[in-house]
Structures are given as structure tokens and as C-alpha cells.
Amino acid sequence: MMYVTRREHFSAAHRLYNPVWDHAKNEAVFGKCNNPAGHGHNYYVEVTVAGEIDPETGYVVDLKELKHIIIEHVIRKVDHRNLNTDVDFLAGVIPTAENIAHGIWMQLVDRIPQGRLHQIRLYETEKNFVDYRGEA
Ligand code: NI
């Protein structure tokens, strides 16, 4: 099995809070990420496709195609947006790295042109990242 990854970047704002909780509990759980005016991150997303090498092309997946799909269905929707309010596939969830990675997976899983989606890795900072590999 071969694994092929495309990396993309977006900048976005978010605020972590649970509307069910009061201010004190949100402050205690989320700390400065609960700042009411929000804050920004430079996110990096790495989309990994698994598959066999196509003997005709030598590719698992055409990265040009994969790039266009990621831009159309993810980056265009999140870049320079407020993740709490502006993104259809994040409606109703707290926009943590975990939930963003899950949302990106759902956007892409049925749109991979060759091979199958293996992993979404989302960097929220240089030091913090999450990996999602689907339900299995
Ligand atoms: Ni944050």
C-alpha cells in the first residue's frame, strides 16, 4: 500500500465555547481560547490518500486533481473565515482541531478520485496537531 499526501494551508478565526455552559465553566475549560472576540490560527491540513500504484500512470492519485478537490471543498470554505459562523460543514460544532479535521474528512471522503482517503492531519499550531482516520 502506498500513501500519498497533499499539504494545504488556510488562516481562520475561531472561539472555543460551549453555549450550554456558563461563562465561568467555559473560561475554566477553554481558557484564553474562550476569548469572546476570537483569535486566529495558521492551519495546515495534510490529506493522505492510500492505494496501489496505477501501472499506467505510476500514480496512486493525481495530486493536481487532489489539490483542486481540497481547494474547492475545503480551503475555499475556511480560508479567512470565522469557523464558528461561516462554514457550512462546521455548523453546530465547537471548532476545535478535532472537529475541524472530522469536518474536512467528511468533505473529502467521497470525493477522492483514485485510491481512498486514509488520514486527515490538521496542524492548529506548530506544536499541536490531530489525526483522523475515519470510523474504523
Ligand atoms: Ni485556537
Side-chain angles (χ1 to χ4, degrees):
M1 188 64 57
M2 189 68 77
Y3 298 88
V4 176
T5 300
R6 173 74 191 184
R7 179 178 172 92
E8 292 290 343
H9 169 262
F10 62 97
S11 298
H14 74 171
R15 177 192 180 199
L16 300 185
Y17 74 105
N18 185 331
V20 169
W21 296 341
D22 64 16
H23 178 74
K25 174 127 191 206
N26 273 292
E27 192 73 26
V29 172
F30 294 123
K32 63 184 181 178
C33 288
N34 180 47
N35 170 24
H39 61 276
H41 291 284
N42 285 311
Y43 292 93
Y44 286 88
V45 58
E46 295 175 355
V47 176
T48 300
V49 171
E52 305 290 340
I53 301 172
D54 180 326
E56 282 190 306
T57 62
Y59 290 163
V60 169
V61 60
D62 184 331
L63 281 170
K64 291 188 301 298
E65 269 184 76
L66 183 62
K67 168 191 162 180
H68 288 306
I69 289 163
I70 299 167
I71 292 193
E72 172 70 15
H73 296 285
V74 177
I75 303 302
R76 195 175 57 81
K77 292 183 171 220
V78 293
D79 192 34
H80 289 71
R81 305 296 178 130
N82 181 325
L83 302 179
N84 294 83
T85 57
D86 299 348
V87 180
D88 56 1
F89 69 82
L90 295 176
V93 302
I94 302 171
T96 57
E98 290 90 330
N99 278 328
I100 300 165
H102 178 264
I104 292 172
W105 174 282
M106 297 307 289
Q107 284 296 106
L108 296 178
V109 64
D110 293 329
R111 293 184 165 116
I112 301 301
Q114 300 103 33
R116 62 173 174 78
L117 186 57
H118 171 69
Q119 175 173 281
I120 300 297
R121 171 168 288 183
L122 183 74
Y123 284 85
E124 191 168 76
T125 69
E126 222 174 294
K127 294 177 179 175
N128 294 347
F129 65 92
V130 302
D131 291 331
Y132 185 62
R133 295 187 187 141
E135 300 296 326

Short mmCIF file of all heavy atoms in Angstrom, two decimals, residues 14 16 33 39-41 43 124, ligand 1:
data_model
loop_
_atom_site.label_atom_id
_atom_site.label_comp_id
_atom_site.label_asym_id
_atom_site.label_seq_id
_atom_site.Cartn_x
_atom_site.Cartn_y
_atom_site.Cartn_z
N HIS A 14 -11.35 31.45 15.25
CA HIS A 14 -12.36 30.69 15.98
C HIS A 14 -12.40 31.12 17.44
O HIS A 14 -11.54 31.86 17.92
CB HIS A 14 -12.13 29.17 15.85
CG HIS A 14 -10.98 28.61 16.63
ND1 HIS A 14 -10.76 27.27 16.78
CD2 HIS A 14 -9.98 29.22 17.31
CE1 HIS A 14 -9.69 27.07 17.51
NE2 HIS A 14 -9.19 28.22 17.85
N LEU A 16 -13.46 29.01 21.13
CA LEU A 16 -13.91 27.76 21.72
C LEU A 16 -14.83 28.08 22.89
O LEU A 16 -14.41 28.72 23.86
CB LEU A 16 -12.73 26.93 22.21
CG LEU A 16 -11.72 26.53 21.11
CD1 LEU A 16 -10.66 25.60 21.68
CD2 LEU A 16 -12.39 25.91 19.91
N CYS A 33 -8.63 30.46 24.83
CA CYS A 33 -9.33 30.10 23.58
C CYS A 33 -10.80 30.48 23.64
O CYS A 33 -11.50 30.42 22.62
CB CYS A 33 -9.18 28.61 23.29
SG CYS A 33 -7.52 28.19 22.75
N HIS A 39 -9.85 34.42 18.03
CA HIS A 39 -8.42 34.54 17.73
C HIS A 39 -8.15 33.71 16.49
O HIS A 39 -8.98 32.88 16.09
CB HIS A 39 -7.57 34.06 18.92
CG HIS A 39 -7.80 32.63 19.25
ND1 HIS A 39 -8.83 32.22 20.06
CD2 HIS A 39 -7.18 31.50 18.85
CE1 HIS A 39 -8.82 30.90 20.16
NE2 HIS A 39 -7.82 30.43 19.43
N GLY A 40 -6.98 33.92 15.89
CA GLY A 40 -6.70 33.25 14.62
C GLY A 40 -5.62 32.19 14.72
O GLY A 40 -4.84 32.16 15.68
N HIS A 41 -5.62 31.31 13.73
CA HIS A 41 -4.56 30.33 13.58
C HIS A 41 -4.16 30.25 12.12
O HIS A 41 -5.00 30.46 11.23
CB HIS A 41 -5.01 28.93 14.00
CG HIS A 41 -5.25 28.78 15.46
ND1 HIS A 41 -4.24 28.66 16.38
CD2 HIS A 41 -6.40 28.72 16.17
CE1 HIS A 41 -4.75 28.52 17.59
NE2 HIS A 41 -6.07 28.56 17.50
N TYR A 43 -3.52 27.41 9.94
CA TYR A 43 -3.71 25.95 9.92
C TYR A 43 -2.99 25.34 8.72
O TYR A 43 -2.94 25.94 7.64
CB TYR A 43 -5.19 25.61 9.78
CG TYR A 43 -6.06 25.94 10.97
CD1 TYR A 43 -6.73 27.16 11.04
CD2 TYR A 43 -6.24 25.03 12.00
CE1 TYR A 43 -7.56 27.46 12.11
CE2 TYR A 43 -7.06 25.32 13.08
CZ TYR A 43 -7.71 26.54 13.13
OH TYR A 43 -8.53 26.83 14.19
N GLU A 124 -2.92 22.88 14.08
CA GLU A 124 -3.50 24.15 14.53
C GLU A 124 -2.39 25.12 14.90
O GLU A 124 -2.52 26.33 14.72
CB GLU A 124 -4.43 23.92 15.71
CG GLU A 124 -5.27 25.14 16.05
CD GLU A 124 -6.38 24.79 17.01
OE1 GLU A 124 -6.08 24.61 18.21
OE2 GLU A 124 -7.53 24.68 16.57
NI NI B 1 -7.47 28.45 18.99
#
